[in-house]
Amino acid sequence: MPDLKDIEQAGQLVASVRKSQASYADFRAVRITTEDVALADGQVDRIDRKVSFGFGVRALVDGAWGFAAAPGCDETSARTVLEEAIAIAHASALLMKEPVTLAPVKAVQADYKTLVITDPFAVELKEKVEFLRHLDSLLRETEGINQTETFLSFRREEKWFYSSAGAVITQTITHSGGGLSAAAMKSRREIGERSFPTSGGQHQTGGYEIITALNLEAGCKPTAEEAVTLLSAPVLPERTTTLLLSGDLVSLQIHESIGHPLELDRVFGSERNFSGTSFAAPGHLGTLPYAADFVTVTSDPSAPGGLGTYGYDDEGVPAAPVVLIKDGVLVDYLSSRETAARLNRQSSGAMRAESWFDLPLVRMTNINLTPGSGSLDSLIADTEDGVLIATPAAWSIDDRREKFQLGGEIAWEIKNGQRGQIYKNPVYSGTTVEFWRSCDRICGPEAYTIWGTPSCGKGQPGQNMRTGQGASPARFRNVKVGQAA
């Protein structure tokens, strides 16, 4: 456990920076504990436990940012790091084009903790390995399965935030996740593979009870049987048709074609060198019909259970829902205090850093598509002719987040409200706005899940962030399927 007195003294030192040195400064100490346990083909493939602890300091001087960080934490190192951040800010100011201004935020003193019923780090490692071996044995009960993977993953992030505006915030955020996959193989090119509950597993905020709720045992038999079926299934033929997507594939569609394009730093060009900008320019705010007129999308870091759920972002902005697309129209962005101020708006509380040594960036929180009504079965029954694609397998999108191609693990032909022929390697393609405008039905709360994305890459140097996308299965009209764009 870090020395809390040292952290408090270091944080207060930075927060009390003289106005003559910096107009604003903040301090963020972080301890991250992770554990990953994975089996491949029934054998232990990875048992990895790590702890990382350190702090970072931001200083705003003459309208320019400086950032520095160091491992550990005490008053002496905080003084050194603060001086480094101020020196970097002075140097940055020499190249500054426009001085930074910050949208206002109320400085609070608060403590936030994820609700955890069972501490995942208190569960014995032996129990976790035995559970994964049990899952592996269930997968192998299906004849033809010759490759398996089962895994569990846990992460706890403890944060201490101080700002020169008077904020003192502590947070403990716990993530738990797990999943499995099975493959039937004839050769390196002839493979049928399925995952459960989705590719890469499902991850949420919470304790070991998340693993129990995933009901991984129940997913073993259908996952293995579909993998065997896919081995001899045909490839989805090319055509333009009605497309139904599983909730986890809608989640990926939200992530790539709504979440990333609406990151305001990307809109302003800060991400240009790494993964492009965005077509959703500020001139479209309040006017662009981004989706069908019944579609509403919200950024909500306060939503229970999402992987993008927290109490405060890394600028001390409280988590709260912000509507991004209302009745189909673009009405807001994911923003920081700096980017929001450029549009005379309030921060959406989306500023986060992967670790203590990373500078916070504008990141997705939980980007949630408001559910409609009905189950996936009712959506299928309501479809005369089309294709259902499930479980993300591949994705590609251009630098402006417009033209995309996404692929799933499996597809079913839909005829007269019934599932028919199974296809392998299904893909679909389109352009962001046209695609979302073609949405004509979204399933209801009973089919709704906030799917977790544990490794969203962004920035230079690169950072991985954990995000969530709330989604139900949905239907889209006149979509090209079955062939690479």
Side-chain angles (χ1 to χ4, degrees):
M1 182 71 183
D3 189 316
L4 298 181
K5 186 177 180 180
D6 282 344
I7 294 174
E8 181 180 357
Q9 290 175 339
Q12 289 177 345
L13 183 144
V14 172
S16 61
V17 63
R18 295 194 305 275
K19 290 289 183 185
S20 59
Q21 293 178 292
S23 58
Y24 170 84
D26 60 32
F27 162 97
R28 181 173 45 85
V30 185
R31 184 171 78 155
I32 298 173
T33 305
T34 60
E35 181 183 84
D36 294 288
V37 185
L39 269 60
D41 298 332
Q43 302 299 313
V44 173
D45 182 59
R46 183 174 66 254
I47 295 178
D48 187 16
R49 285 177 170 171
K50 294 179 181 175
V51 178
S52 175
F53 173 59
F55 71 101
V57 171
R58 294 193 311 170
L60 187 59
V61 180
D62 297 333
W65 284 115
F67 175 77
C73 185
D74 57 48
E75 189 172 357
T76 300
S77 60
R79 193 181 306 279
T80 300
V81 169
L82 175 60
E83 291 173 353
E84 290 175 350
I86 290 172
I88 292 170
H90 277 299
S92 299
L94 298 175
L95 301 174
M96 179 179 62
K97 295 180 179 178
E98 295 287 340
V100 171
T101 59
L102 299 177
V105 62
K106 183 179 179 181
V108 300
Q109 298 191 4
D111 179 47
Y112 172 89
K113 290 182 180 178
T114 298
L115 175 62
V116 171
I117 297 173
T118 302
D119 180 358
F121 294 96
V123 177
E124 292 290 335
L125 185 60
K126 180 181 179 182
E127 180 179 337
K128 295 168 181 170
V129 171
E130 288 178 350
F131 175 59
L132 294 181
R133 282 187 171 141
H134 172 57
L135 295 176
D136 181 83
S137 67
L138 294 178
L139 289 170
R140 291 179 181 277
E141 286 179 357
T142 297
E143 187 175 353
I145 292 297
N146 44 26
Q147 189 175 82
T148 60
E149 183 179 3
T150 57
F151 60 91
L152 300 172
S153 178
F154 307 99
R155 187 177 195 269
R156 175 163 293 149
E157 187 175 80
E158 299 161 275
K159 293 185 183 182
W160 297 264
F161 178 85
Y162 290 75
S163 80
S164 59
V168 180
I169 299 170
T170 58
Q171 299 191 81
T172 303
I173 301 167
T174 303
H175 294 163
S176 296
L180 55 87
S181 64
M185 301 177 62
K186 288 181 181 176
S187 68
R188 292 180 62 183
R189 293 182 178 274
E190 296 178 282
I191 303 173
E193 185 172 11
R194 287 288 283 144
S195 304
F196 183 85
T198 186
S199 51
Q202 169 66 326
H203 305 256
Q204 296 176 276
T205 52
Y208 202 80
E209 65 276 5
I210 296 293
I211 305 303
T212 304
L214 289 177
N215 202 5
L216 295 171
E217 291 157 301
C220 288
K221 184 176 182 180
T223 298
E225 290 179 346
E226 287 176 358
V228 172
T229 301
L230 281 172
L231 185 60
S232 56
V235 175
L236 179 65
E238 179 188 356
R239 63 171 169 144
T240 297
T241 188
T242 297
L243 174 65
L244 285 65
L245 296 180
S246 62
D248 52 351
L249 202 40
V250 173
S251 163
L252 177 61
Q253 186 73 48
I254 294 169
H255 184 96
E256 300 294 346
S257 66
I258 295 179
H260 276 310
L262 299 189
E263 294 164 343
L264 197 46
D265 58 345
R266 185 185 304 278
V267 170
F268 288 140
S270 303
E271 272 287 280
R272 182 181 298 123
N273 291 342
F274 182 59
S275 54
T277 59
S278 171
F279 71 93
H284 292 313
L285 196 62
T287 62
L288 176 66
Y290 203 111
D293 60 9
F294 68 95
V295 171
T296 293
V297 178
T298 302
S299 164
D300 190 0
S302 67
L307 204 57
T309 298
Y310 45 86
Y312 299 83
D313 77 354
D314 287 340
E315 292 188 310
V317 177
V322 173
V323 178
L324 303 175
I325 297 173
K326 181 176 177 56
D327 300 331
V329 177
L330 172 65
V331 295
D332 211 338
Y333 294 98
L334 293 156
S335 60
S336 61
R337 296 182 64 194
E338 176 185 345
T339 54
R342 292 179 64 175
L343 296 180
N344 294 316
R345 303 175 78 89
Q346 296 296 309
S347 169
S348 68
M351 195 68 159
R352 294 193 288 159
E354 178 184 355
S355 187
W356 53 268
F357 51 78
D358 289 312
L359 185 66
L361 304 172
V362 176
R363 305 307 300 260
M364 279 176 251
T365 61
N366 301 306
I367 310 302
N368 298 336
L369 174 66
T370 300
S373 61
S375 64
L376 175 59
D377 286 343
S378 72
L379 183 65
I380 293 171
D382 183 48
T383 303
E384 183 175 347
D385 180 60
V387 172
L388 166 64
I389 301 180
T391 315
W395 57 93
S396 175
I397 191 164
D398 70 22
D399 281 354
R400 284 171 49 84
R401 298 279 158 181
E402 289 186 293
K403 295 180 181 179
F404 65 82
Q405 177 179 287
L406 274 66
E409 289 185 353
I410 189 170
W412 290 265
E413 179 183 41
I414 304 299
K415 279 287 187 185
N416 301 318
Q418 301 285 330
R419 296 193 197 211
Q421 173 70 52
I422 286 179
Y423 298 102
K424 66 182 178 183
N425 303 329
V427 298
Y428 66 97
S429 58
T431 58
T432 293
V433 170
E434 181 181 4
F435 181 79
W436 281 107
R437 288 179 188 169
S438 77
C439 182
D440 79 339
R441 184 172 165 184
I442 302 169
C443 291
E446 65 268 44
Y448 179 85
T449 298
I450 301 181
W451 294 94
T453 301
S455 58
C456 171
K458 184 177 178 180
Q460 289 182 312
Q463 298 183 35
N464 279 323
M465 186 48 65
R466 297 178 154 231
T467 74
Q469 297 80 220
S472 302
R475 186 172 64 192
F476 304 83
R477 299 291 188 182
N478 301 314
V479 179
K480 183 180 180 181
V481 304
Q483 184 176 351

